[in-house]
């Protein structure tokens, strides 16, 4: 199982934008550090990889999992 986005995502102008992922359902624009983490984690990271991340990165991704922005899915496309 790997992390997959459950929301539409736009990767443009050096940033990640996630539709409906903000606290009030608005578009969420990730900062540069979160954008780098998203690009390396989503579609690649498995549960063991998440456990090995530094606490701030792990907490951020876990919060997105809890909010339904990310989900664990089969590694197959």
């Amino acid at each position: 199982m790997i992390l997959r986005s459950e929301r539409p995502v736009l990767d443009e102008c050096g940033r990640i934008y996630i539709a409906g992922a903000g606290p009030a359902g608005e578009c969420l624009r990730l900062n540069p550090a979160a954008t780098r983490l998203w690009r390396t984690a989503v579609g690649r990271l498995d549960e063991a990889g998440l456990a090995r991340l530094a606490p701030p990165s792990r907490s951020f991704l876990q919060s997105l999992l809890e909010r339904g922005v990310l989900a664990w899915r089969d590694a197959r496309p």
Side-chain angles (χ1 to χ4, degrees):
M1 303 290 267
I2 60 171
L3 280 178
R4 296 276 189 198
S5 178
E6 294 292 292
R7 308 284 175 118
V9 175
L10 177 63
D11 186 343
E12 191 171 273
C13 299
R15 294 284 178 91
I16 297 287
Y17 300 84
I18 309 166
E26 72 276 16
C27 183
L28 180 65
R29 183 182 86 164
L30 301 183
N31 67 28
T35 291
R36 285 190 298 277
L37 176 61
W38 180 278
R39 287 178 180 152
T40 59
V42 176
R44 296 182 180 97
L45 197 66
D46 60 15
E47 293 179 65
L50 179 65
R52 288 190 299 269
L53 288 175
S57 296
R58 184 173 59 243
S59 295
F60 173 69
L61 292 176
Q62 286 174 326
S63 73
L64 294 178
L65 278 162
E66 291 167 7
R67 290 175 28 209
V69 176
L70 294 174
W72 295 111
R73 299 282 179 219
D74 254 345
R76 292 173 280 158

